[in-house]
Amino acid sequence: MERLKLIVAVAGHGLGERMGAALESAGCAVCFHLSGQGTAKAAWLEMLGLSETRRDVLLAPCPESGVARALSALQAEAGGSRYFAVAIPLSGVAERDAYEQLIEGGNAHGQAV
């Protein structure tokens, strides 16, 4: 069973749809696109190049073997726009049953979707 990582990316408002499509085409099975409004201190916003308070947040479970490809796809899609992304082990976030369902592609009742 291949391990999963959760890619979390934050970009300026308006980039999320294109970046989500890039993640899915790079092998992430699904990408959750959320709109966010930040409350970080101005120094953090300035350092990250995200001066506008509205942002797009992407959450995408990705097989560990595809993380490098997915992050490269994000970089290519962002072009010169600023964003940040991290990949964290999903096994550290989800309980074992939920983790196995994500890997096997099932739903809450264990049926394939």
Side-chain angles (χ1 to χ4, degrees):
M1 172 175 5
E2 184 173 9
R3 297 177 64 124
L4 286 177
K5 297 248 179 160
L6 180 65
I7 295 177
V8 179
V10 178
H13 181 68
L15 286 173
E17 192 171 323
R18 291 191 342 244
M19 292 176 80
L23 284 171
E24 289 177 356
S25 68
C28 299
V30 65
C31 182
F32 300 100
H33 177 189
L34 310 165
S35 293
Q37 187 160 346
T39 58
K41 301 269 188 232
W44 278 105
L45 292 172
E46 188 66 33
M47 184 175 76
L48 296 172
L50 299 170
S51 55
E52 186 180 331
T53 59
R54 293 187 327 151
R55 290 176 253 315
D56 290 342
V57 179
L58 303 170
L59 304 172
C62 186
E64 190 171 39
S65 63
V67 168
R69 182 173 59 250
L71 293 176
S72 293
L74 277 179
Q75 186 174 14
E77 193 60 47
S81 300
R82 299 231 177 161
Y83 74 98
F84 69 91
V86 296
I88 57 174
L90 195 52
S91 60
V93 177
E95 64 161 290
R96 182 170 173 80
D97 289 341
Y99 184 73
E100 287 176 358
Q101 289 294 322
L102 282 169
I103 288 175
E104 295 170 7
N107 62 21
H109 304 289
Q111 300 170 347
V113 292

